[in-house]
């Protein structure tokens, strides 16, 4: 077949394939542990990690007061999840002297055997990045605020490179008409200790008039033999009725992640199904977690299957899959 972006590709290369069971998690799957969780509004934008034989999702759960909690869902097959009957606790947030309104959109990364969650934190002066360190699946320690300015979509690399911790992030420097500040570039930042961070370089910017005018990092980068595979979201803002959130891919050099090796011209997932088109925020697919169960020694091979977890319409959780090779080819690499 010939794809819409030019060239020939197989059906498996056309993008991410939605799970037949989608949406895999909805508000009805959240156990009514307390009165505020008895009838929640939404569950979406999960962080994801593969630990042993289980896939764990750190769910963003929103109650009818629009208050945010984290809860854990777990699965052995990556598709059928059970939500634990316990709320996740964050220890140490009280050390922040200014009011915190929401802690949300966790991205999970394991580094040197330690599980970290990079989160967005809404405060009086905007959104900041916060770092959490797991003590148990249901208890995280607040390490601290790790961005000085308004920033979102912080995502840690799963290993240190040249002794430095690395992350993708999105400084919010674009004022949307009638809306909040947002970002139109994904940056690489580095740290010696996970506490103090400095920007290194801008990696990719939004492409005005096309599907990814605004951009932000998605799941943590995936190590492959062809580079760091990065899934990101892009927002088309030039439609009068609605912004449209979609997903794409780019690839960074393994040894020097400041170098962008390839980037998809077209999206690999866009809102098409009813649960993506209708909800709290219509027309949204927002990739936030990915696991590669078949990866050995931290390296994903081209035939390995990638499970991508995404928020749909800021209301439910969806799952889509593809091989590593098909995503690398979608970015433009000739394998």
């Amino acid at each position: 077949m010939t794809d819409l972006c030019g060239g020939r590709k197989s059906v498996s290369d056309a993008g991410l394939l939605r799970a037949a069971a989608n949406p895999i998690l909805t508000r009805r799957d959240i156990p009514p542990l307390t009165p505020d969780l008895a009838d929640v509004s939404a569950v979406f934008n999960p962080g994801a990690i593969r630990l042993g034989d289980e896939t764990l999702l750190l769910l963003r759960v929103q109650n009818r007061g629009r208050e945010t909690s984290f809860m854990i869902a777990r699965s052995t097959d990556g598709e059928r999840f059970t939500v634990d009957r316990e709320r996740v606790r964050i220890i140490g947030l009280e050390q922040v002297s200014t009011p915190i309104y929401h802690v949300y959109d966790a991205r999970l990364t394991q580094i040197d055997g330690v599980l970290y969650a990079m989160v967005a934190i809404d405060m009086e002066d905007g959104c900041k990045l916060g770092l959490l360190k797991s003590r148990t699946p249901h208890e995280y320690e607040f390490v601290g605020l790790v961005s000085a300015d308004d920033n979102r979509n912080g995502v840690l690399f799963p290993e240190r490179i040249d002794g430095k911790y690395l992350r993708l992030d999105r400084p919010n420097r674009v004022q949307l008409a009638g809306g909040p500040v947002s970002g139109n570039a994904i940056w690489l930042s580095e740290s010696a200790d996970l506490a103090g961070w400095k920007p290194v370089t801008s990696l990719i910017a939004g492409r005005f008039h096309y599907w990814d005018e605004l951009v932000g990092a998605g799941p943590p980068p995936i190590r492959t033999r062809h580079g760091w595979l990065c899934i990101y979201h892009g927002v088309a803002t030039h439609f009068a009725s609605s912004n449209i959130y979609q997903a794409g891919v780019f690839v960074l050099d393994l040894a020097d992640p400041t170098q962008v090796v390839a980037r998809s011209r077209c999206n690999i997932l866009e809102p098409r199904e009813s649960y993506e088109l209708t909800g709290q925020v219509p027309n949204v697919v927002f990739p936030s977690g990915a696991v590669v169960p078949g990866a050995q020694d931290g390296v994903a091979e081209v035939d390995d299957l990638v499970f991508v977890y995404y928020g749909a319409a800021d209301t439910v959780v969806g799952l889509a899959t593809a091989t590593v090779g098909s995503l690398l080819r979608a970015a433009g690499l000739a394998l």
Side-chain angles (χ1 to χ4, degrees):
M1 63 176 288
T2 301
D3 74 289
L4 296 178
C5 292
R8 297 188 62 82
K9 57 169 67 176
S10 68
V11 173
S12 62
D13 287 344
L16 287 164
L17 178 65
R18 292 170 179 83
N22 269 358
I24 60 168
L25 287 164
T26 75
R27 66 181 189 84
R28 294 179 178 85
D29 294 304
I30 303 303
L33 303 177
T34 56
D36 66 310
L37 294 177
D39 184 22
V40 301
S41 297
V43 52
F44 56 110
N45 297 3
I49 196 80
R50 188 75 177 177
L51 297 177
D53 294 328
E54 275 193 323
T55 296
L56 296 185
L57 301 184
L58 188 54
L59 305 172
R60 175 181 177 179
V61 178
Q62 191 178 77
N63 70 15
R64 293 178 67 172
R66 296 302 184 264
E67 298 164 330
T68 304
S69 298
F70 287 128
M71 298 186 75
I72 293 289
R74 58 183 74 230
S75 170
T76 54
D77 65 6
E79 183 171 348
R80 293 168 294 183
F81 283 85
T82 301
V83 180
D84 288 357
R85 299 186 65 83
E86 186 174 353
R87 197 193 306 246
V88 171
R89 300 173 296 281
I90 302 174
I91 309 301
L93 276 177
E94 65 278 0
Q95 67 185 266
V96 180
S97 58
T98 55
I100 290 176
Y101 297 107
H102 301 284
V103 181
Y104 58 101
D105 285 3
R107 307 303 212 282
L108 294 178
T109 311
Q110 192 172 45
I111 308 173
D112 299 331
V114 179
L115 180 60
Y116 295 95
M118 190 74 75
V119 294
I121 301 181
D122 281 349
M123 306 175 71
E124 287 284 359
D125 55 348
C127 181
K128 303 296 177 64
L129 294 178
L131 183 63
L132 311 180
K133 180 179 177 180
S134 175
R135 295 179 174 178
T136 71
H138 301 103
E139 185 172 286
Y140 282 76
E141 171 191 350
F142 177 63
V143 177
L145 296 174
V146 290
S147 69
D149 299 323
D150 203 307
N151 204 321
R152 276 201 64 186
N153 303 137
V155 182
L156 291 172
F157 281 64
E159 63 185 68
R160 284 180 280 187
I161 298 177
D162 293 333
K164 299 290 183 65
Y165 296 97
L166 299 179
R167 80 177 183 209
L168 305 177
D169 56 40
R170 189 198 70 192
N172 289 331
R173 298 169 180 164
V174 178
Q175 179 63 57
L176 301 180
V181 291
S182 188
N184 65 348
I186 295 174
W187 278 70
L188 181 73
S189 297
E190 67 178 21
S191 172
D193 57 5
L194 286 174
W197 290 84
K198 66 176 182 179
V200 177
T201 188
S202 174
L203 295 173
I204 68 168
R207 295 179 283 202
F208 192 50
H209 293 301
Y210 296 100
W211 73 268
D212 52 356
E213 295 175 295
L214 301 174
V215 294
I222 298 168
R223 173 185 267 276
T224 78
R225 299 188 189 279
H226 303 272
W228 291 103
L229 174 63
C230 304
I231 301 169
Y232 72 105
H233 73 263
V235 187
T237 68
H238 55 279
F239 292 87
S241 60
S242 177
N243 293 337
I244 303 174
Y245 282 71
Q246 298 146 87
V249 288
F250 63 94
V251 181
L252 302 176
D253 185 83
L254 272 182
D256 182 6
T258 66
Q259 301 301 309
V260 179
V261 176
R263 180 182 180 182
S264 60
R265 176 184 169 194
C266 296
N267 73 59
I268 58 170
L269 189 71
E270 64 183 13
R272 292 184 178 181
E273 301 299 323
S274 59
Y275 54 88
E276 300 162 346
L277 297 168
T278 303
Q280 292 192 126
V281 184
N283 303 321
V284 171
V285 295
F286 189 87
S288 52
V291 300
V292 186
Q296 298 293 321
D297 299 322
V299 180
E301 304 290 351
V302 293
D303 291 332
D304 286 338
L305 198 61
V306 184
F307 288 68
V308 178
Y309 301 94
Y310 65 97
D314 277 16
T315 304
V316 298
V317 176
L319 166 64
T321 60
T323 65
V324 169
S326 68
L327 294 181
L328 291 171
R329 285 188 289 270
L333 292 184
L335 303 181

